[in-house]
Amino acid sequence: MEELYTLEKEVGRGSYGVVFEGHIAKTGQKVAIKRLPCSKPECIELYLQEIWAMRATAKNHVNVIALHSCLLQTGPRTLKPLTAGKLPGQLVESVLKGSVAKASPPHQRNHSQSCVRRRSTSVSGLQDRTNTMQTGAKLQDKVDPNWPDVSTPKRPQNRGRKRSMQRHEDPPAPLYCVALWLVMEYCDGGDLNHFLLSRLPDNQNNHAVVRQLCSAVAFLHSLGITHRDLKPDNVLVCVTSKGPVVKVADFGLSKMSPGVSEGELTRQHFSSTCGSDFYMAPEVWGGLTYTAQADIFSLGAMFWAVLERITFVEEGTTQEQLGAYVWKGRSGRLVPLGEALWENAELHLSIPIKFRRAPPLPPPPGPATCTLLLDMLAADPDARPTATQLEARVSCALEEDSH
């Protein structure tokens, strides 16, 4: 292995893995290194989907995170690079059989020098802490037009944050494939939540984010990739002298349909209920089959939150997050858009929101942008623009409203 990597510190921890800041030893280039423990077959399936999708993008779009290399860990100090264009057979076998491969006897293991070196200052404990949460099932039947005037609303108790395909299981037996390591480009601006909410409202930045995300999703859909979990947490930001460059990341829930056109992609149906509740389309909430148009709804929820700086606080935390929602009655319960629209497809969404939350607020989106947001958030997937149509319409809408 020609490239050696050094882990510096942990910079993120999600439902499936841990992300570290690191460097390529030979060049000193900063990279992000993600460790994905191969402990459950359903998790391994998500990892393989992520690798396959990231290889398909092949560093060909500036707004999609680039994968530099992928390593397979087979022992405490044994890593090897994955062959380009192929997936590790033992992991594919684990997915197909529904059980992980057990470790080889100690005398058969290869204890060669690891490709990843850890400095004494790096964090300890690389075990993944899998966070499986459940979403609430109550739906909204109407929206009170007199939304309360609050600063940053808190999310109600006992409401889940993410639906995924992950299942609770007993701890598995020791593994032959201990973990996968993905080496990716490093983004110094953090995720979209951190980047935008740590700064004063800036229409120029907001519009740049919207345009770039449209371009990224149009590119992914052109390759037959449906992301299925678009949200601010999964959008990373690189800070440059010319402004923010956003990168769509985390393809663990993505689905690939190679060789299809965008029109065919909007007709190809998926059935797994997955995603994050504040961005899930109504058809996903309802447990129906759905298409790539679910990604367009997710973008609409994100764009509305970005353009009007709509935030909430996750229960049990103090961290604001970007997310659009509706209120249920005067009790002030936050309801994700998709959930509300699944219950009432005729629900009227007020864009822009008329009340003040927490100054300073950005200028409200103009009429053309509001119309576009409503189209993206349509309850009927076929009424939403496709990714290609969206890219053109966003540019037209922002230009029209700027005049």
Side-chain angles (χ1 to χ4, degrees):
M1 183 64 176
E2 294 180 357
E3 294 178 333
L4 299 175
Y5 305 98
T6 301
L7 299 182
E8 300 291 345
K9 61 181 179 181
E10 180 180 323
V11 295
R13 184 179 287 268
S15 299
Y16 301 103
V18 185
V19 181
F20 300 91
E21 175 188 321
H23 290 86
I24 300 176
K26 285 187 176 181
T27 65
Q29 178 185 351
K30 186 180 291 187
V31 290
I33 303 177
K34 185 175 184 180
R35 182 184 187 273
L36 300 169
C38 298
S39 56
K40 300 178 181 179
E42 62 269 23
C43 293
I44 294 172
E45 181 178 3
L46 301 183
Y47 306 160
L48 298 183
Q49 287 175 179
E50 180 167 16
I51 293 172
W52 202 253
M54 293 184 73
R55 281 176 170 174
T57 62
K59 306 180 186 178
N60 282 334
H61 199 284
V62 67
N63 300 123
V64 177
I65 199 76
L67 177 67
H68 293 312
S69 62
C70 186
L71 306 169
L72 180 66
Q73 182 178 356
T74 58
R77 296 182 57 82
T78 306
L79 285 88
K80 62 179 181 179
L82 294 187
T83 305
K86 294 184 179 180
L87 295 176
Q90 54 268 60
L91 294 186
V92 174
E93 182 180 356
S94 294
V95 173
L96 294 176
K97 288 184 175 180
S99 61
V100 294
K102 295 184 178 180
S104 303
H107 66 275
Q108 294 180 4
R109 297 177 187 163
N110 178 10
H111 294 284
S112 61
Q113 178 67 28
S114 172
C115 295
V116 177
R117 301 180 314 200
R118 297 200 61 197
R119 290 189 177 178
S120 59
T121 57
S122 60
V123 296
S124 61
L126 298 184
Q127 292 82 9
D128 176 48
R129 286 181 277 179
T130 302
N131 302 314
T132 303
M133 304 184 182
Q134 299 177 346
T135 54
K138 294 185 179 179
L139 303 176
Q140 173 185 6
D141 51 13
K142 64 180 181 178
V143 178
D144 189 337
N146 300 315
W147 290 0
D149 183 6
V150 295
S151 56
T152 299
K154 289 190 176 182
R155 194 173 182 197
Q157 293 183 359
N158 299 324
R159 289 191 58 81
R161 184 166 184 266
K162 183 168 183 172
R163 287 185 173 187
S164 72
M165 295 180 289
Q166 188 172 350
R167 301 185 297 270
H168 290 286
E169 290 187 359
D170 294 330
L175 306 178
Y176 172 61
C177 297
V178 179
L180 282 167
W181 295 78
L182 308 185
V183 183
M184 304 170 288
E185 64 178 314
Y186 183 83
C187 296
D188 55 356
D191 64 32
L192 193 60
N193 281 314
H194 171 80
F195 177 80
L196 291 181
L197 298 180
S198 63
R199 292 163 170 77
L200 292 176
D202 185 325
N203 250 17
Q204 186 174 349
N205 278 347
N206 292 346
H207 292 175
V209 166
V210 167
R211 290 176 187 269
Q212 291 176 46
L213 286 177
C214 283
S215 180
V217 173
F219 170 71
L220 294 175
H221 283 197
S222 72
L223 296 178
I225 299 174
T226 305
H227 191 282
R228 305 204 300 173
D229 195 20
L230 291 169
K231 59 180 179 178
D233 284 348
N234 289 342
V235 177
L236 304 179
V237 183
C238 292
V239 181
T240 73
S241 59
K242 296 182 180 180
V245 177
V246 301
K247 311 271 185 178
V248 174
D250 200 339
F251 290 87
L253 296 180
S254 66
K255 281 293 184 181
M256 285 196 64
S257 308
V260 301
S261 65
E262 184 181 53
E264 293 170 334
L265 189 63
T266 60
R267 293 192 297 271
Q268 182 155 354
H269 287 74
F270 309 104
S271 59
S272 299
T273 300
C274 59
S276 298
D277 52 8
F278 275 83
Y279 314 94
M280 283 197 301
E283 61 270 24
V284 183
W285 268 101
L288 304 179
T289 58
Y290 57 94
T291 71
Q293 291 302 91
D295 279 353
I296 303 302
F297 186 93
S298 300
L299 279 182
M302 289 173 60
F303 290 176
W304 191 8
V306 167
L307 293 173
E308 291 205 69
R309 205 177 180 90
I310 307 169
T311 64
F312 65 94
V313 174
E314 186 74 27
E315 187 66 29
T317 74
T318 58
Q319 182 64 47
E320 280 187 285
Q321 298 182 50
L322 289 162
Y325 46 81
V326 296
W327 290 95
K328 181 168 183 177
R330 298 185 181 278
S331 63
R333 183 170 75 87
L334 304 186
V335 179
L337 294 179
E339 181 183 4
L341 286 168
W342 167 248
E343 178 66 14
N344 178 15
E346 302 302 321
L347 179 71
H348 175 71
L349 300 179
S350 179
I351 302 175
I353 294 176
K354 301 299 183 182
F355 71 95
R356 292 184 64 82
R357 296 176 304 282
L361 291 175
T369 303
C370 291
T371 299
L372 177 57
L373 287 174
L374 288 171
D375 288 346
M376 296 174 70
L377 296 171
D380 179 5
D382 293 332
R384 301 169 202 153
T386 65
T388 299
Q389 293 168 345
L390 178 62
E391 190 174 14
R393 285 191 59 184
V394 160
S395 295
C396 291
L398 294 179
E399 288 181 16
E400 181 178 335
D401 290 339
S402 67
H403 298 314

